[in-house]
Amino acid sequence: MAIGEARNDRFSIFTDLIYSKLSGDGKARGIFTDTVDVDSETFVGLAAVGYTVFQDQQSNLDVIGGVKVWSVDTTISFHGGPLDGVSREDGKTWVDGMVGLRGAYYLTPEIYLTGWASSAAAVPTSTGMWPSASATASTTRSRRLPATVHSASTTTMTALSSTWFNRARSSAFPYASETA
């Protein structure tokens, strides 16, 4: 995960990148296979610009707009039983145009809290147009560099809408039941 920001007066550009690769295997309950392996890779990349609409000595509030790229790839493989050797892959990549608000509250000149809320609508792709929304809260410790470029290490909690989760889940496992 990486986050970056550059500011010049009331204008800013920023990015937020997240990559994860998860895998697991387990013993299956049933007669069709003995074990199941699942591998999943996810990438989320945000590039946005902002304009400060409120600013005082300890805080600022920006109006933001940008694009967020989502990519999900999942592989499921079966071993043993009648499904031995069966493997399926699926993946989706889509782009959301987004607008929202972003704010920061400075605890000290070098440490601040930041958060944003955005609303997005997917840019049409081969899978059609999907609405989505996200809200993110971050705690960031930053070091100010010349020209107000920030380097930051951050811990981010992202609450994804059920629309996005269901879309990603249905693209990764189109045959999965809702109770799985």
Side-chain angles (χ1 to χ4, degrees), residues 95-114:
V95 177
D96 290 336
M98 53 149 289
V99 295
L101 297 172
R102 182 173 67 127
Y105 181 80
Y106 289 83
L107 302 170
T108 71
E110 293 183 352
I111 299 174
Y112 65 93
L113 302 174
T114 184

Side-chain angles (χ1 to χ4, degrees), residues 16-100:
D16 189 7
L17 305 172
I18 301 170
Y19 173 79
S20 68
K21 182 174 182 178
L22 304 172
S23 62
D25 57 20
K27 187 166 177 74
R29 297 182 191 159
I31 60 172
F32 294 107
T33 188
D34 295 332
T35 61
V36 178
D37 295 333
V38 178
D39 296 305
S40 181
E41 286 186 66
T42 303
F43 171 80
V44 181
L46 166 68
V49 296
Y51 180 78
T52 303
V53 293
F54 171 80
Q55 186 172 23
D56 64 17
Q57 295 293 349
Q58 286 188 294
S59 61
N60 64 283
L61 180 66
D62 297 350
V63 174
I64 59 172
V67 294
K68 188 177 278 191
V69 177
W70 303 82
S71 181
V72 178
D73 295 299
T74 302
T75 303
I76 185 167
S77 304
F78 301 96
H79 306 285
L83 293 178
D84 187 34
V86 174
S87 181
R88 296 290 182 256
E89 295 181 21
D90 196 9
K92 298 289 181 199
T93 299
W94 64 96
V95 177
D96 290 336
M98 53 149 289
V99 295

